[in-house]
């Protein structure tokens, strides 16, 4: 149900949710696809809950939040999942013959009428937020997990009788036999279930590992590898064959590693699976990396950047030339940071070109190119071609060798803003790494604007337990970090009150719940942002070590990853243990 813009503006101003100046600025950004409310919520001018409550007030409909609600399975399933997901409507409470439903669009009378007819109940509509709908929809998913387990067990038994048991070394299997095995219905269902279960669990990787007597399936969730299920050894050959068919790999090649890709697309998501098959002593191991291709609307703030570090990044990306580098180990969120920067820079006035391996998110209006080493198309070759495509901004997925480093530096010298990643342990470590790649010190000093070092830590879930550090705990922490420096920074950013010290500051421990068995859910970045100032340029030119560069950057106000992590631990975002786990690696 659409609210007339003028009426909405009047209510926003009367409720004091926004002032006239901010409202006028937001109005100028209204487009055909983005209304006033979308812009105000996206820019954080008003919260989504506040807007939805206001919308309910205007329409005379109660607001309900389901963000922390556990809905009874019987009530939830009054509305079938496909209907709930397509129309964003959730059944959450039943009293006698009355069914209360939460929805995003209270004007969707057709769906309300359909549910009324199919359930034979009186429908009481309520308005709710997107977060509430998302939480409720995930509960459909959680109830499916038991069904997945049953399918795996049942179909594993079927396959044991349907496929002759043979050695899984693959020496005597013809491609025709293997293809037939891969098309067997039980095998297809098992693989589909494994993939679906991984998506439900938010896994980033699936490991399928043949052992002597069984096959172990593990999922990497929030950076931690966990056992998911154990399958009979007899299904190993069929599962690997099925994955090879999906990825268009050679079915009869068992001696050499193979790499491939395939996609799963639904109305809700588009996921690309990057597949690696490796011969091991008990057969072949498959690892699949899940890449969500739909571009996510992240902001630097939601990734965990704040304060001076955030300002330094914005200052660096506003420059028309130079380099912005993200550093860290594999899986530390570097590419997501670069995509978020590109999203900020992505306007009709600029031409953005990328060279990547793989293309992880699809971005509108960005020319994305995939590296193909198998046909000789490398990062260096792609970068050489990109500079002839009249780009303003270039993203290089990773600087891996001397040639790519040299070309990226030259591109930033010749009027381009270049964003890229490097595998180093810290922001300061990127500078000696470039020197190792035979880049001249004066070229590094004159091109690199800012370097971001990062790691990912697990976020605490809703339920968490406060505690205070003991004296011995404080002394242990002092060995890792300058606590006085961290305390001053926290007071500067109003994270703690001025009179507080380490004996009165709360930290938090995870509390396991039904929704999160280890008390964590999702991840957030901890960062250090090194701005290449004049004094740091001088250190680079004089071939200073990474320790000397880091020391100078800290003197100039840089917050290190460990310090940033401790501040997030005090805010209850993560735990000290998580921060130390990822910074000690």
């Amino acid at each position: 149900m659409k609210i007339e813009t003028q009426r909405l503006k009047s209510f926003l101003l009367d409720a004091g949710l926004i002032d006239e100046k901010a409202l006028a600025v937001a109005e100028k950004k209204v487009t055909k696809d983005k209304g006033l409310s979308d812009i105000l919520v996206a820019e954080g001018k008003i919260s989504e809950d506040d807007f939805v409550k206001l919308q309910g007030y205007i329409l005379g409909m109660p607001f309900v939040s389901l963000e922390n609600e556990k809905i009874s399975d019987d009530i939830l399933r009054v509305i079938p999942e496909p209907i709930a997901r397509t129309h964003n409507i959730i059944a959450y409470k039943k009293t006698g013959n009355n069914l209360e439903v939460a929805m995003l669009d209270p004007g969707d009378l057709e769906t309300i009428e359909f549910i009324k007819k199919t359930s034979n109940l009186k429908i009481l509509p309520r308005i709710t937020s997107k977060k509430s709908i998302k939480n409720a929809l995930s509960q459909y998913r959680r109830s499916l997990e038991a069904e997945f387990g049953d399918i795996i067990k049942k179909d594993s038994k079927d396959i044991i009788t349907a496929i002759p048991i043979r050695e899984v070394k693959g020496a005597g299997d013809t491609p025709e036999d293997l293809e037939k095995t891969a098309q067997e219905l039980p095998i297809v269902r098992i693989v589909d279930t494994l993939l679906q279960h991984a998506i439900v669990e938010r896994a980033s990787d699936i490991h399928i590992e043949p052992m002597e007597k069984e096959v172990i399936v593990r999922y990497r969730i929030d950076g931690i590898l966990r056992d998911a299920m154990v399958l009979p050894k007899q299904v190993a050959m069929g599962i690997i064959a099925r994955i090879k068919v999906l990825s268009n790999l050679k079915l009869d090649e068992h001696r050499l590693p193979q790499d491939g890709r395939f996609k799963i697309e639904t109305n809700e998501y588009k996921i690309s699976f990057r597949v690696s098959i490796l011969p091991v002593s008990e057969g072949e191991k498959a690892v699949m990396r899940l890449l969500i291709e739909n571009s996510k609307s992240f902001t630097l703030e939601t990734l965990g950047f704040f304060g001076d570090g955030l300002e330094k990044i914005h200052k660096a990306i506003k420059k028309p030339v130079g380099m912005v580098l993200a550093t860290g180990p594999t899986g530390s969120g570097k590419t997501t940071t670069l995509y978020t920067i590109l999203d900020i820079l992505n306007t009709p006035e600029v031409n953005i070109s990328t060279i990547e391996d793989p293309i992880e998110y699809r971005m509108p209006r960005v020319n994305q190119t995939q590296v193909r080493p198998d046909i000789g198309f490398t990062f260096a070759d792609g970068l050489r071609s990109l500079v002839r495509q009249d780009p303003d901004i270039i993203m290089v997925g990773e600087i891996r060798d001397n040639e790519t480093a040299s070309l990226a530096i030259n591109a930033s010298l010749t009027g381009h803003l270049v964003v890229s990643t490097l595998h180093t342990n810290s922001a300061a470590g990127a500078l000696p790494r470039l020197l190792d790649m035979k880049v001249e010190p004066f070229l590094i000093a004159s091109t690199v604007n800012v370097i971001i070092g990062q790691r990912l830590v697990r976020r605490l879930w809703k339920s968490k337990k406060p505690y205070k550090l003991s004296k011995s705990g404080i002394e242990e922490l002092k060995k890792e970090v300058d606590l006085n420096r961290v305390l001053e920074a926290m007071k500067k950013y109003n994270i703690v009150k001025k009179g507080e010290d380490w004996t009165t500051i709360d930290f938090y421990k995870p509390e396991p719940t039904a929704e999160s068995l280890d008390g964590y859910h999702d991840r957030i970045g901890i960062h250090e942002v090194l701005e290449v100032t004049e004094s740091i340029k001088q250190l680079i030119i004089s071939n200073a070590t990474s320790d000397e560069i880091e020391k100078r950057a800290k003197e100039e106000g840089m917050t290190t990853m460990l310090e940033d992590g401790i501040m997030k631990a005090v805010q209850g975002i993560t735990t000290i243990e998580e921060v130390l786990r990822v910074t000690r690696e």
Side-chain angles (χ1 to χ4, degrees):
M1 196 176 291
K2 205 83 168 157
I3 299 171
E4 192 221 340
T5 305
Q6 199 56 45
R7 195 177 178 206
L8 175 63
K9 282 161 59 179
S10 300
F11 274 95
L12 283 167
L13 293 169
D14 290 346
L17 293 172
I18 194 167
D19 58 47
E20 286 189 26
K21 188 180 174 184
L23 193 59
V25 171
E27 270 195 285
K28 290 176 184 174
K29 298 177 183 176
V30 172
T31 63
K32 191 179 176 182
D33 299 321
K34 275 194 171 183
L36 180 61
S37 58
D38 299 322
I39 288 159
L40 292 173
V41 171
E43 294 186 351
K45 301 289 190 235
I46 60 172
S47 72
E48 189 198 349
D49 276 5
D50 282 344
F51 174 72
V52 176
K53 284 173 188 172
L54 180 67
Q55 192 182 9
Y57 176 74
I58 296 169
L59 298 170
M61 183 175 287
F63 168 82
V64 64
S65 172
L66 302 177
E67 281 188 51
N68 300 311
E69 286 290 315
K70 177 71 179 80
I71 304 166
S72 156
D73 200 47
D74 292 342
I75 294 170
L76 188 70
R77 291 185 180 276
V78 170
I79 302 175
E81 185 184 1
I83 302 287
R85 201 168 287 284
T86 306
H87 296 278
N88 289 308
I89 184 166
I90 296 292
Y92 70 94
K93 189 176 179 183
K94 185 173 176 282
T95 312
N97 201 43
N98 294 336
L99 180 70
E100 293 183 47
V101 299
M103 54 200 306
L104 294 184
D105 180 11
D108 189 357
L109 302 176
E110 197 178 324
T111 303
I112 293 172
E113 192 59 33
F114 172 79
I115 295 164
K116 182 181 175 183
K117 283 179 182 175
T118 54
S119 66
N120 204 23
L121 297 167
K122 183 182 178 184
I123 308 302
L124 305 176
R126 309 285 184 247
I127 194 165
T128 193
S129 64
K130 288 177 184 174
K131 284 182 184 173
S132 289
I133 292 286
K134 188 177 179 184
N135 174 55
L137 288 173
S138 73
Q139 293 181 43
Y140 279 104
R141 289 290 179 79
R142 277 199 292 275
S143 65
L144 283 175
E145 289 176 24
E147 293 173 33
F148 289 156
D150 291 341
I151 290 169
I152 289 287
K153 284 173 191 169
K154 177 181 177 296
D155 286 343
S156 294
K157 287 172 189 168
D158 289 349
I159 201 77
I160 291 166
T161 55
I163 297 174
I165 298 172
R166 61 186 112 178
E167 287 295 311
V168 191
K169 292 177 184 174
D173 298 315
T174 66
E176 291 75 19
D177 289 339
L178 290 164
E179 188 156 4
K180 187 180 176 186
T181 301
Q183 304 298 346
E184 291 275 356
L185 187 60
I187 281 289
V188 171
R189 288 184 64 190
I190 287 173
V191 173
D192 286 353
T193 303
L194 290 175
L195 300 179
Q196 182 67 30
H197 201 178
I199 294 165
V200 168
E201 292 283 319
R202 304 174 297 105
S204 61
D205 300 84
I206 306 169
H207 291 238
I208 298 169
E209 305 170 336
M211 300 288 140
E212 188 180 350
K213 295 179 180 176
E214 59 199 10
V215 178
I216 295 174
V217 179
R218 298 196 286 170
Y219 296 150
R220 189 177 293 280
I221 302 166
D222 294 336
I224 307 293
L225 203 54
R226 308 166 191 197
D227 284 359
M229 54 196 77
V230 177
L231 302 174
K233 181 64 180 280
Q234 287 90 338
V235 304
M237 179 190 69
I239 289 174
I240 297 297
R242 177 65 183 160
I243 292 167
K244 285 181 178 179
V245 166
L246 290 172
S247 313
N248 202 23
L249 300 176
K250 292 178 182 176
L251 284 167
D252 56 343
E253 178 56 80
H254 307 284
R255 298 169 302 169
L256 294 173
Q258 295 190 74
D259 296 318
R261 291 176 76 106
F262 65 91
K263 279 185 193 177
I264 290 180
E265 291 188 31
T266 70
N267 292 333
E268 191 185 345
Y269 51 73
K270 187 188 290 184
I271 296 179
S272 178
F273 290 80
R274 192 170 73 202
V275 178
S276 171
I277 308 280
L278 183 72
V280 292
S281 59
E282 297 298 333
E284 290 176 281
K285 176 184 174 180
V287 175
M288 291 177 276
R289 166 67 55 91
L290 282 70
L291 303 166
I292 301 169
E293 292 200 352
N294 309 57
S295 180
K296 295 186 179 181
S297 298
F298 288 120
T299 64
L300 290 173
E301 289 85 351
T302 57
L303 295 183
F305 291 96
F306 73 101
D308 291 345
L310 182 62
E311 286 178 27
K312 286 173 186 174
I313 294 172
H314 279 294
K315 179 181 165 187
I317 64 177
K318 281 176 185 170
K319 294 179 181 177
V321 296
M323 289 185 77
V324 174
L325 296 173
T327 69
T330 301
S332 59
K334 302 185 296 295
T335 306
T336 303
T337 298
L338 292 193
Y339 274 112
T340 305
I341 288 170
L342 290 188
D343 198 38
I344 294 166
L345 297 170
N346 191 8
T347 62
E349 293 80 34
V350 294
N351 175 24
I352 302 176
S353 295
T354 75
I355 179 79
E356 306 173 57
D357 185 24
I359 296 171
E360 294 196 20
Y361 306 130
R362 305 285 178 185
M363 295 193 77
R365 302 184 69 96
V366 173
N367 309 291
Q368 296 174 269
T369 305
Q370 168 77 50
V371 165
R372 292 283 306 277
D374 53 322
I375 57 169
F377 183 53
T378 63
F379 275 112
D381 296 320
L383 189 48
R384 226 179 258 108
S385 299
L386 283 193
V387 293
R388 294 195 286 273
Q389 287 277 312
D390 185 33
D392 299 291
I393 298 157
I394 297 172
M395 172 180 146
V396 183
E398 185 187 339
I399 295 177
R400 292 179 181 171
D401 52 50
N402 300 7
E403 191 179 9
T404 309
S406 175
L407 287 165
I409 291 280
N410 284 330
S412 62
L413 279 171
T414 53
H416 306 95
L417 180 65
V418 178
V419 296
S420 189
T421 69
L422 268 177
H423 283 280
T424 62
N425 288 330
S426 65
L431 300 167
R433 179 82 181 97
L434 288 171
L435 291 172
D436 288 343
M437 291 182 175
K438 310 293 183 225
V439 179
E440 294 291 341
F442 74 91
L443 289 176
I444 300 171
S446 57
T447 55
V448 179
N449 296 338
V450 79
I451 305 167
I452 302 158
Q454 64 183 75
R455 298 288 189 281
L456 292 176
V457 292
R458 290 182 291 168
R459 276 178 176 271
L460 280 168
W461 191 226
K462 294 164 191 169
S463 180
K464 51 196 171 192
K465 190 176 179 182
Y467 74 99
K468 289 180 174 63
L469 284 179
S470 63
K471 283 187 179 177
S472 60
I474 293 169
E475 289 304 314
E476 280 298 309
L477 206 51
K478 273 184 183 173
K479 294 174 186 175
E480 304 276 348
V481 68
D482 182 344
L483 289 182
N484 291 332
R485 183 179 142 88
V486 178
L487 190 60
E488 286 306 309
M490 289 197 296
K491 286 174 181 175
K492 174 185 171 183
Y493 295 122
N494 297 317
I495 294 169
V496 297
K497 293 172 186 170
K498 287 193 176 174
E500 289 199 85
D501 62 30
W502 291 106
T503 59
T504 62
I505 290 170
D506 276 338
F507 288 86
Y508 297 85
K509 287 186 182 294
E511 284 224 314
T513 63
E515 291 88 358
S516 175
L517 297 177
D518 57 6
Y520 293 100
H521 181 85
D522 211 356
R523 290 187 290 174
I524 192 169
I526 57 172
H527 308 93
E528 56 190 26
V529 182
L530 192 159
E531 185 180 20
V532 181
T533 59
E534 287 304 319
S535 61
I536 288 180
K537 284 179 183 179
Q538 293 306 315
L539 286 175
I540 296 167
I541 291 167
S542 61
N543 285 324
T545 64
S546 58
D547 289 342
E548 290 169 332
I549 292 166
E550 184 171 306
K551 185 183 174 188
R552 182 65 189 142
K554 284 167 74 175
E555 287 168 4
E556 293 181 352
M558 181 183 84
T559 300
T560 66
M561 277 184 281
L562 181 53
E563 292 166 349
D564 185 32
I566 290 170
M567 287 192 260
K568 285 185 170 71
V570 170
Q571 290 171 287
I573 296 168
T574 187
T575 61
I576 284 284
E577 291 76 15
E578 266 298 288
V579 173
L580 294 176
R581 178 181 70 83
V582 301
T583 52
R584 282 171 173 168
E585 283 176 353

